[in-house]
């Protein structure tokens, strides 16, 4: 399987509900480094997995939806603990939808798998990965 990775970052504020989270129940900030890794079993006619510039631009646009926001106040996340794991899934879902919509160009529909990893520090990260719908 071939892969291409693009990386960006975003900053948010949020809080968690539940004793599991201890002091993180209070509102706090987080800066995430995000890796989006695109997979396909064969390179396209140009010898690439996907247009790396388009992949980076698309990731940046998705992260802009979250950047410098208090996620506790975002209607889409009301009642949700916006954990690193949850956010990896939310970004994956948005990125997969953009791939299906054609935002990654002609190579997008041939992508087979996507992994989104959120690094919350140099020693801790979480990811969500799944096959892409309509992969051909």
């Amino acid at each position: 399987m071939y892969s291409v990775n693009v990386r960006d970052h975003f900053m948010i504020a949020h809080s968690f509900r539940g004793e599991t989270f201890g002091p993180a129940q209070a509102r706090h900030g987080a800066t995430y480094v995000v890796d989006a890794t695109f997979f396909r079993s064969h390179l396209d006619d140009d010898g690439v997995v996907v247009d790396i510039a388009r992949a980076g631009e698309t990731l940046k646009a998705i992260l802009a939806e979250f950047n410098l926001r208090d996620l506790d106040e975002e209607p889409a996340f009301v009642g949700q603990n916006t954990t690193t794991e949850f956010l990896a899934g939310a970004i994956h879902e948005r990125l997969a939808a953009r791939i299906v919509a054609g935002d990654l160009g002609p190579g997008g529909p041939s992508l087979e798998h996507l992994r989104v990893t959120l690094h919350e520090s140099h020693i801790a990260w979480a990811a969500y990965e799944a096959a892409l719908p309509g992969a051909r």
Side-chain angles (χ1 to χ4, degrees), residues 35-57:
D35 286 313
T37 309
F38 305 88
F39 297 89
R40 60 188 283 174
S41 54
H42 298 89
L43 299 178
D44 71 8
D45 292 339
D46 294 318
V48 299
V49 172
V50 70
D51 181 327
I52 208 166
R54 279 184 154 177
E57 291 165 3

Side-chain angles (χ1 to χ4, degrees), residues 5 20 26 35 50 65 72 75 77 102-103 105 119-121 125 128 133:
N5 189 84
T20 300
D35 286 313
V50 70
E65 299 171 17
D72 292 349
F77 301 135
D103 290 8
H119 303 264
E120 58 178 90
S121 75
W125 57 89
Y128 181 83

Side-chain angles (χ1 to χ4, degrees), residues 102-116:
D103 290 8
L104 270 64
S110 297
L111 292 168
E112 299 169 34
H113 198 84
L114 172 64
R115 177 188 311 126
V116 174

Side-chain angles (χ1 to χ4, degrees), residues 64-86:
E65 299 171 17
F66 302 100
N67 194 39
L68 300 176
R69 296 211 181 358
D70 183 340
L71 299 186
D72 292 349
E73 297 176 2
E74 290 297 312
F77 301 135
V78 170
Q80 176 66 53
N81 277 333
T82 52
T83 62
T84 305
E85 297 89 334
F86 173 83

Side-chain angles (χ1 to χ4, degrees), residues 3 8 20-21 27 33 61 87-88 113-115 121-122 135-136:
S3 68
D8 208 327
T20 300
F21 298 102
R27 183 163 282 117
V33 173
L87 291 172
H113 198 84
L114 172 64
R115 177 188 311 126
S121 75
H122 66 289
R136 51 177 158 112

Side-chain angles (χ1 to χ4, degrees), residues 24-37:
Q25 292 177 83
R27 183 163 282 117
H28 61 279
T31 299
Y32 293 102
V33 173
V34 181
D35 286 313
T37 309

